[in-house]
Amino acid sequence: MDKILVGLKRVVDYNVRIRVKTDGSGVETDGVKMSINPFDEIALEEALRIRERGEASEVVVFSIGPSDAQQQLRTGLAMGADRAILVEAADAVDPLSAAKVITKLIEAESPELVILGKQAIDNDNNQTGQMVAALWDRPQATFASKVELADGKATVTREVDAGLETIEVDLPAVVTTDLRLNEPRYVKLPDIMKAKKKPLDTTPIADFGVAPDDAFEVSEYAPPPQRSKGVMVEDTAALVAALKDKGLI
Amino acid sequence: MASILIVAEHANGALNPATAKCVDCARGIDGADIHVLVLADSPDAIAAEAAALEGVGKVLTVADAAFAAPLAAALAPQVVATASGYDYVFGPSTTFGKDLMPRVAALLGVNQLSDVMEVVDARTFKRPIYAGNAITTVRVRDGYTVVATVRAASYKAVGSQDAAPIESAEAAGGTPAHTRFVSVQTGDSDRPDLQTAARVISGGRALGSADNFEIIYDLADSVGAAVGASRAAVDAGYVPNELQVGQTGKIIAPELYVAIGISGAIQHLTGIKDAGTIVAINKDEDAPIFEVADIGLVGDLFKVIPEIKSALG
């Protein structure tokens, strides 16, 4: 296989406790630690392992986002990606527009495999990979926990509500990652230095001729309803009594 | 009148309960004319179940061997063909709906509204972001087909009615050959289903091993509860993936949720916020799970579980 294309979204770090702004206009992102979306890190790790097994020759990472997303792409290069593409967009990009941009990247790069995270942990949309597959008119293997490549096909085990589903798709195809696909590697200092020399091309999103979709207007951000603080019981007998009291057991 | 098409989820010839919850959500839209689309190799029994859901005006079916397994690539072109003329296309926010509906949305040229938890009005909806740490109110522009997945835990299954008419819809044909179903490996079906059970007992990393996790199964069986788990317990290999509760696992709303040896990471809490009563048993009194628990007990689970069992007789 020639090439694998991997998407890296810049998101608020997994460990940050999110706060809604008091005026309801958004969530607080000033001064908050930003990272690669965890599912995208898994996507990159999988691509690197495929290349390291000799089943692909090049791993190209891209991001669609602000100029600062270069940091996440540099991290991706330090992990082992060969080169990076930043599609620079000052404003947030909706999933459909992102999918259209990715489809244009696919036209330009002709990858055999596109690996994306199943969802970004900011908007939790879980859409972009499926949309890319639809617009590209190619197979999708979402929520992957195992990917095997052979003879121009991918056999993918998927985490579904019922358990584990296995499907077979012809390449090229889109795979989206679930948590247990792999454990991403740690970046080593020398790799960070080497990554600085790897190519990172920036193109403004306007050059892709994709008009942002303005159909969804978010009028308010609110904190979730809080559950009221409950009671602590002293021992098992009190716990069982409380549950019997509520008619729950 | 607002026309709504709901894509039915089913397996082994039976309707998934999440479909009845999509109907409940759709009924929140004024003047909704609700149709359910059943795509299956043999849809009759499933369609009969859907027709009896309160609020459904019509059931449409397409029988095709290509629909025997729920492959998004096979189903999406048919959903798009049938959806023509509808104002809304809904599916459940299960792995089935999450896989299929964005493919449908892209083919219709629209974004998808993911995980609808409340219908404010015909064009305005609430949905969670950041693992449920923020709730957004989203207005969808007029004239834009609303393709949405419905967060089942936010809705109740509708009741029953006299059967609505069942019709065959026009087959779109042209199923792609590039995607093929191989197999599905499912868990133990003797226990209540995690997503619909009234009682759920979950275990976490504190169980320490797959063998130790047996005491969770045992306790669950003694009260007729489904078994769940935290991500940590699944990652550690104590239990299979389909038991994971949380942001990236299952979002559930049982009447009783008992979290045993689960610290309560924010990603886990997002999966249980709609539970009726949350009970937490943990030996760490500072565990975040106690912040959301209705009843908390600080103690060693290996001591507490046998005590509960004996108290229940």
Side-chain angles (χ1 to χ4, degrees):
Chain A
M1 189 197 310
D2 187 27
K3 195 186 290 181
I4 305 177
L5 188 63
V6 175
L8 302 180
K9 187 177 183 185
R10 173 182 166 90
V11 298
V12 171
D13 187 81
Y14 183 75
N15 291 308
V16 171
R17 204 167 181 133
I18 289 298
R19 282 198 181 74
V20 175
K21 289 181 185 166
T22 44
D23 64 359
S25 65
V27 300
E28 203 57 73
T29 52
D30 284 353
V32 164
K33 186 185 178 199
M34 304 296 284
S35 298
I36 298 175
N37 177 44
F39 291 101
D40 300 349
E41 222 176 347
I42 293 169
L44 176 54
E45 177 64 34
E46 194 65 17
L48 295 173
R49 289 183 190 191
I50 292 168
R51 191 193 61 193
E52 285 159 4
R53 287 200 301 264
E55 294 169 5
S57 55
E58 190 184 24
V59 173
V60 179
V61 288
F62 71 90
S63 190
I64 305 171
S67 152
D68 284 344
Q70 285 186 42
Q71 295 161 14
Q72 281 65 44
L73 289 172
R74 287 288 170 206
T75 304
L77 292 169
M79 276 177 73
D82 298 290
R83 61 189 171 88
I85 302 166
L86 173 61
V87 179
E88 200 173 334
D91 300 321
V93 178
D94 61 277
L96 183 62
S97 300
K100 287 176 179 171
V101 168
I102 296 166
T103 310
K104 299 232 168 178
L105 286 174
I106 289 169
E107 273 172 33
E109 298 283 343
S110 306
E112 280 289 283
L113 193 58
V114 176
I115 314 183
L116 304 175
K118 77 165 179 180
Q119 73 194 72
I121 60 163
D122 49 7
N123 286 322
D124 283 335
N125 272 314
N126 196 332
Q127 299 182 26
T128 306
Q130 296 87 315
M131 288 183 156
V132 170
L135 299 178
W136 191 17
D137 197 16
R138 293 302 308 167
Q140 67 189 48
T142 54
F143 325 146
S145 67
K146 191 176 174 195
V147 178
E148 288 174 312
L149 303 171
D151 309 323
K153 292 185 298 241
T155 303
V156 179
T157 303
R158 309 176 53 232
E159 294 206 2
V160 296
D161 291 338
L164 295 171
E165 182 193 80
T166 303
I167 64 170
E168 185 184 83
V169 297
D170 294 337
L171 299 178
V174 177
V175 168
T176 76
T177 61
D178 217 316
L179 290 170
R180 281 168 284 273
L181 180 58
N182 59 52
E183 229 173 280
R185 66 196 63 190
Y186 287 102
V187 173
K188 298 185 205 83
L189 192 59
D191 295 327
I192 295 172
M193 303 311 289
K194 263 191 270 174
K196 288 182 179 164
K197 296 199 186 83
K198 289 183 179 176
L200 191 164
D201 294 324
T202 300
T203 312
I205 192 167
D207 289 9
F208 287 80
V210 174
D213 182 86
D214 62 353
F216 290 0
E217 183 201 342
V218 178
S219 60
E220 195 198 358
Y221 293 79
Q226 294 298 312
R227 293 183 72 98
S228 52
K229 182 115 176 89
V231 297
M232 298 300 289
V233 293
E234 282 302 310
D235 54 25
T236 308
L239 172 63
V240 172
L243 288 174
K244 282 191 171 155
D245 213 33
K246 287 176 169 247
L248 289 167
I249 54 171
Chain B
M1 191 147 91
S3 55
I4 304 179
L5 185 68
I6 295 173
V7 183
E9 176 172 1
H10 58 85
N12 308 317
L15 197 62
N16 183 296
T19 305
K21 297 182 176 186
C22 291
V23 175
D24 188 32
C25 174
R27 291 181 94 196
I29 293 163
D30 284 341
D33 186 15
I34 302 168
H35 299 175
V36 176
L37 175 62
V38 178
L39 306 179
D41 50 348
S42 52
D44 294 354
I46 305 155
E49 274 191 77
L53 293 176
E54 188 180 6
V56 172
K58 191 178 6 177
V59 175
L60 298 167
T61 65
V62 180
D64 189 327
F67 301 154
L71 296 171
L75 300 174
Q78 178 66 55
V79 175
V80 169
T82 310
S84 170
Y86 283 88
D87 304 308
Y88 303 79
V89 187
F90 283 4
S93 191
T94 54
T95 52
F96 165 79
K98 287 174 176 175
D99 184 42
L100 172 62
M101 299 307 287
R103 191 161 181 126
V104 169
L107 295 175
L108 289 171
V110 299
N111 272 298
Q112 171 186 281
L113 204 53
S114 301
D115 305 316
V116 168
M117 57 189 291
E118 188 182 329
V119 176
V120 179
D121 63 42
R123 307 301 298 178
T124 314
F125 306 85
K126 289 191 180 182
R127 64 169 300 258
I129 59 171
Y130 286 100
N133 284 304
I135 309 297
T136 56
T137 304
V138 184
R139 192 179 151 72
V140 183
R141 176 160 41 82
D142 289 341
Y144 193 93
T145 307
V146 179
V147 176
T149 55
V150 174
R151 186 178 179 274
S154 300
Y155 293 93
K156 300 237 180 299
V158 291
S160 57
Q161 65 174 14
D162 291 339
I166 299 171
E167 296 172 12
S168 294
E170 198 176 328
T175 308
H178 56 48
T179 304
R180 296 169 292 276
F181 175 80
V182 177
S183 64
V184 66
Q185 181 193 329
T186 60
D188 185 348
S189 58
D190 292 342
R191 293 194 166 84
D193 175 49
L194 175 57
Q195 254 160 338
T196 51
R199 298 167 184 166
V200 174
I201 297 183
S202 281
R205 199 202 313 259
L207 269 300
S209 72
D211 284 347
N212 287 347
F213 211 93
E214 285 300 322
I215 63 170
I216 298 289
Y217 285 108
D218 186 45
L219 180 62
D221 289 347
S222 69
V223 294
V227 173
S230 67
R231 178 190 166 185
V234 178
D235 283 356
Y238 304 165
V239 288
N241 66 287
E242 66 265 25
L243 298 192
Q244 185 177 327
V245 173
Q247 181 187 19
T248 63
K250 291 191 167 100
I251 311 277
I252 57 173
E255 286 165 31
L256 173 64
Y257 185 79
V258 185
I260 302 179
I262 292 176
S263 63
I266 199 82
Q267 291 80 10
H268 184 76
L269 300 184
T270 195
I272 60 169
K273 276 178 180 162
D274 296 300
T277 298
I278 297 175
V279 174
I281 299 166
N282 203 298
K283 67 178 177 194
D284 174 10
E285 63 184 79
D286 296 323
I289 190 77
F290 288 123
E291 288 168 30
V292 301
D294 299 287
I295 306 171
L297 174 61
V298 177
D300 179 357
L301 68 94
F302 295 106
K303 186 168 156 278
V304 173
I305 292 176
E307 283 175 3
I308 297 174
K309 284 257 318 177
S310 70
L312 293 174

